[in-house]
Amino acid sequence: MSNTTPPPPDFPPPFPAPKKSRTNLIIIGSAAAVIAAVVATGIVVVQSNNDDARPDTTASSGASDEGVMTAAADEPDPDPAYEQVDADSFTMKLRTTSRHCFGSAGCNVTVEPDLTYVGLQDVDPAAVYEITYEISGDKSGPVIETAELSNQTNLNYTPTLISTVSAGTKISVEITGVTAQGG
């Protein structure tokens, strides 16, 4: 008996070709779609802002009109007029944030200013206004405090602790002065 083995093939057996990963292609395609969407959205927003902000105009037949319109558009807006503020430009109330009463010994009351601007024009946003006010009702006498108004709306102050002679003591406030710094 003879052992016969088949002869080896002349070439290596074919292996299936490795599949190319499509992950990179998907990532690149997705990135391109996102960029295209962002650009398209930006164009639509810019066009709608430009269309809404510009009033309809009629065509004119003069090159000199174009020059006048361009010159007017290039000029900066004049400085806005801001109101000169004083103590009468504001009203102030006190907001009680805590109260601890001790029977006949009186109360410890913490108050904070609640400022309202009553002027007709805006205040200068670049200025810092120091608003001095006097709180009445403390058993030791009036308490004078200062708050700073900046950026037209930011009021910086320190809460005030006063001691009253009784729970029925009326606490009041009056603005005594306003000074502007900067602006």
Side-chain angles (χ1 to χ4, degrees):
M1 252 191 166
S2 79
N3 252 349
T4 59
T5 60
D10 292 341
F11 54 90
F15 290 104
K19 290 186 176 183
K20 292 186 178 181
S21 173
R22 294 186 182 196
T23 305
N24 288 342
L25 183 60
I26 291 171
I27 292 173
I28 291 171
S30 298
V34 168
I35 291 170
V38 168
V39 169
T41 303
I43 290 172
V44 169
V45 169
V46 169
Q47 285 177 348
S48 68
N49 285 345
N50 288 342
D51 292 342
D52 292 343
R54 204 176 317 141
D56 292 339
T57 58
T58 57
S60 64
S61 64
S64 62
D65 288 344
E66 252 181 58
V68 171
M69 289 174 60
T70 303
D74 290 342
E75 292 179 17
D77 291 337
D79 289 335
Y82 296 111
E83 188 167 334
Q84 292 289 73
V85 296
D86 58 14
D88 294 331
S89 300
F90 299 94
T91 60
M92 183 179 287
K93 295 178 183 177
L94 292 175
R95 183 169 62 98
T96 301
T97 58
S98 72
R99 176 186 302 266
H100 300 286
C101 293
F102 309 100
S104 63
C107 299
N108 288 336
V109 182
T110 303
V111 294
E112 296 178 352
D114 184 9
L115 186 71
T116 303
Y117 176 64
V118 294
L120 299 175
Q121 296 177 344
D122 289 338
V123 295
D124 187 352
V128 175
Y129 298 95
E130 291 182 354
I131 302 164
T132 304
Y133 54 99
E134 184 177 294
I135 301 172
S136 300
D138 187 77
K139 63 182 169 185
S140 300
V143 177
I144 298 174
E145 295 283 354
T146 301
E148 282 188 351
L149 177 67
S150 61
N151 247 357
Q152 295 179 326
T153 58
N154 295 335
L155 186 65
N156 294 319
Y157 58 90
T158 302
T160 305
L161 175 64
I162 61 171
S163 296
T164 63
V165 293
S166 73
T169 302
K170 182 182 177 202
I171 301 170
S172 61
V173 66
E174 177 184 354
I175 298 174
T176 58
V178 176
T179 58
Q181 308 293 324

